[in-house]
Amino acid sequence: MVVKVYGAAFTSPKRVLLCLIEKGIEFETVPVDLFKGEHKSPEYLKLQPFGSVPVVKDGDYTLYESRAIIRYYAEKYRHQGTELLGQTIEERGLVEQWLEVEGQSYHPLLYQLVMQIVFNPLIGVPRDEKAIKECEAKLASVLDIYEERLSKSKYLAGDFFSLADLSHIPFTELLVTKVGKEYMIRDRKHVSAWWDEISSRPSWKKVTEM
Amino acid sequence: MVVKVYGAAFTSPKRVLLCLIEKGIEFETVPVDLFKGEHKSPEYLKLQPFGSVPVVKDGDYTLYESRAIIRYYAEKYRHQGTELLGQTIEERGLVEQWLEVEGQSYHPLLYQLVMQIVFNPLIGVPRDEKAIKECEAKLASVLDIYEERLSKSKYLAGDFFSLADLSHIPFTELLVTKVGKEYMIRDRKHVSAWWDEISSRPSWKKVTEM
């Protein structure tokens, strides 16, 4: 049964694509046009009641929330492709810790920057420069902690690539491109080396070519 | 080795206490006085560089982020106490989905209400009534989706209690007490029954008596 990934053109669903490629799992994508409001259609809301992307259908099984989906496939295909959860329960604990840091401390700030700098101008909403400055300052503090961590281990959860790193890739790509804040990565030696490492993975190249 | 839980008097760390009690794991609590700034002390920042609670020390192993800690103990002591991850990989997928919904869609709104209604008055910051109204409306929409879900299964991830339900308890207790919005739970028949069920667990009684 081929996994169907809905809304693959958008940023959060790219976490799922990255994971499926790393694990060598066959999938197909199903477009969801957010600009036409397809994510608010009755059929789509049956799959994903919050009206957001991604959602996957795998036979009769439906799952949403990108970080839940990547955990599910990393666990289900534990012994296929890249090991993304660490080798031990303790390593997995650290993977979970840094996945939570991404979800709770990194992503919300970056998401606000994307909304302010990339999305709002598209819909004619003026940028809120004060909000942008505040977000940027908070994100700088978070990245200072990453810098300290990455001075001690090659990846976030240890010396192994994991879901914790993977989950950062799609939105960090926006930070260094469309948001125009690449300096936030480049000014931090270890964060910069980590970003080069994780963004040069063949899985991410494949996703960006899709 | 007894697990040490730092900052147990605060709301997020109660997720950890609930989990440890459900699993029958021995622990002791280490006070962290946020009002005295102990969470920003150099010693504490060595344990938790973001300066937030909780963090656990378990022998040489240190872990932070409440939802990462509960996943770690639910996995490590899988066959002891209450099973909190479901029986199958598919059930665990749904547990992860609803844990993510809690972390990404439920908690941020409830946290803002707690800050506006409970915390800000304590430090002399006036309530922002517009922000409160917006949060409340968004939380109502989220709870409508919970109501629909809970009309089909007793708990969020299925007909079994899990980390997904557990993770909601500490802040929902604030919603119905200090935030003064119990009606948001009571106006929804299935959410109300679910709240009665999960908040009457002996583990939560123990936490509230601590």
Side-chain angles (χ1 to χ4, degrees):
Chain A
M1 190 73 71
V2 178
V3 179
K4 288 183 184 175
V5 183
Y6 289 72
F10 296 92
T11 310
S12 294
K14 287 179 182 163
R15 293 194 187 97
V16 175
L17 302 183
L18 268 170
C19 175
L20 294 172
I21 294 168
E22 290 282 350
K23 300 302 285 181
I25 300 165
E26 215 184 325
F27 65 90
E28 57 188 46
T29 58
V30 182
V32 180
D33 192 334
L34 305 194
F35 297 102
K36 283 188 185 159
E38 284 178 4
H39 57 308
K40 302 293 180 191
S41 71
E43 309 94 90
Y44 188 78
L45 291 175
K46 268 185 216 159
L47 287 178
Q48 213 302 3
F50 294 89
S52 56
V53 290
V55 55
V56 296
K57 266 197 74 107
D58 190 345
D60 290 337
Y61 190 63
T62 303
L63 200 63
Y64 52 83
E65 286 290 338
S66 60
R67 299 177 194 87
I69 298 167
I70 62 179
R71 285 180 175 103
Y72 170 72
Y73 284 107
E75 173 98 18
K76 184 172 176 184
Y77 295 92
R78 191 91 200 224
H79 303 292
Q80 174 180 317
T82 313
E83 172 57 80
L84 295 168
L85 294 167
Q87 299 288 338
T88 63
I89 292 177
E90 279 64 37
E91 285 184 355
R92 176 159 188 176
L94 293 170
V95 173
E96 295 293 351
Q97 172 184 293
W98 286 101
L99 256 177
E100 283 292 325
V101 169
E102 187 271 327
Q104 294 292 324
S105 300
Y106 185 83
H107 178 77
L109 296 169
L110 189 35
Y111 184 77
Q112 279 188 62
L113 286 177
V114 170
M115 293 304 282
Q116 286 289 344
I117 295 174
V118 185
F119 189 72
N120 282 355
L122 289 180
I123 57 168
V125 174
R127 290 160 56 128
D128 179 339
E129 297 298 339
K130 185 167 164 270
I132 291 173
K133 261 202 169 154
E134 279 174 12
C135 266
E136 201 170 336
K138 286 181 189 169
L139 188 59
S141 300
V142 170
L143 283 169
D144 285 343
I145 297 169
Y146 280 42
E147 177 67 4
E148 167 69 13
R149 169 62 185 171
L150 292 165
S151 73
K152 290 180 186 141
S153 63
K154 188 170 174 191
Y155 298 100
L156 287 169
D159 288 323
F160 57 96
F161 179 74
S162 75
L163 290 185
D165 309 294
L166 179 153
S167 193
H168 284 79
I169 297 176
F171 274 90
T172 306
E173 175 80 16
L174 288 183
L175 180 72
V176 304
T177 57
K178 293 190 180 169
V179 171
K181 306 278 180 194
E182 184 170 6
Y183 87 91
M184 298 190 81
I185 302 296
R186 296 303 169 206
D187 281 1
R188 294 171 174 85
K189 182 179 149 195
H190 298 98
V191 171
S192 183
W194 167 75
W195 174 244
D196 285 341
E197 187 76 29
I198 64 176
S199 63
S200 64
R201 290 185 75 86
S203 57
W204 182 237
K205 296 227 156 117
K206 269 191 199 164
V207 172
T208 55
E209 283 161 16
M210 276 173 67
Chain B
M1 192 69 72
V2 177
V3 179
K4 288 183 186 175
V5 184
Y6 289 71
F10 296 92
T11 310
S12 294
K14 288 181 181 163
R15 291 193 187 98
V16 175
L17 302 183
L18 269 170
C19 175
L20 295 172
I21 295 169
E22 290 282 349
K23 299 303 284 181
I25 300 165
E26 216 184 325
F27 64 91
E28 58 188 45
T29 59
V30 182
V32 180
D33 193 334
L34 304 193
F35 297 101
K36 283 190 186 155
E38 284 178 5
H39 58 308
K40 302 293 180 192
S41 71
E43 308 94 272
Y44 188 79
L45 291 174
K46 267 184 216 158
L47 286 178
Q48 214 300 4
F50 294 89
S52 58
V53 291
V55 56
V56 296
K57 266 196 74 107
D58 191 344
D60 290 337
Y61 190 63
T62 302
L63 200 63
Y64 52 83
E65 285 291 338
S66 61
R67 297 177 196 85
I69 298 168
I70 62 180
R71 284 179 175 104
Y72 170 72
Y73 284 106
E75 175 99 16
K76 184 171 177 185
Y77 295 91
R78 191 88 199 225
H79 302 293
Q80 175 181 317
T82 312
E83 172 58 80
L84 294 168
L85 294 168
Q87 299 289 339
T88 63
I89 291 176
E90 279 64 37
E91 285 184 355
R92 175 157 189 177
L94 293 170
V95 173
E96 295 292 352
Q97 173 182 292
W98 286 100
L99 256 177
E100 283 292 326
V101 169
E102 187 270 329
Q104 294 291 326
S105 300
Y106 185 83
H107 178 77
L109 296 168
L110 189 36
Y111 184 77
Q112 281 189 61
L113 286 177
V114 170
M115 292 305 279
Q116 287 288 345
I117 295 174
V118 185
F119 190 72
N120 283 355
L122 289 180
I123 57 166
V125 174
R127 291 160 55 128
D128 179 340
E129 297 297 340
K130 183 166 166 270
I132 291 173
K133 260 202 170 155
E134 279 174 13
C135 266
E136 200 170 337
K138 285 182 191 168
L139 187 58
S141 300
V142 169
L143 284 170
D144 286 343
I145 297 169
Y146 280 43
E147 178 66 4
E148 168 70 14
R149 169 62 185 171
L150 292 166
S151 73
K152 290 179 187 141
S153 62
K154 189 171 173 190
Y155 298 100
L156 287 169
D159 288 323
F160 58 96
F161 178 74
S162 76
L163 289 185
D165 309 292
L166 179 154
S167 192
H168 284 78
I169 297 176
F171 275 91
T172 306
E173 175 79 16
L174 288 182
L175 181 72
V176 304
T177 57
K178 292 189 181 170
V179 171
K181 306 277 181 197
E182 185 171 6
Y183 87 92
M184 298 190 81
I185 301 295
R186 295 305 170 204
D187 281 2
R188 293 169 176 86
K189 182 180 149 194
H190 298 97
V191 171
S192 184
W194 168 74
W195 173 245
D196 285 338
E197 188 75 28
I198 64 176
S199 62
S200 63
R201 290 185 76 86
S203 57
W204 182 237
K205 297 225 158 122
K206 270 193 199 162
V207 172
T208 55
E209 283 160 15
M210 277 174 69

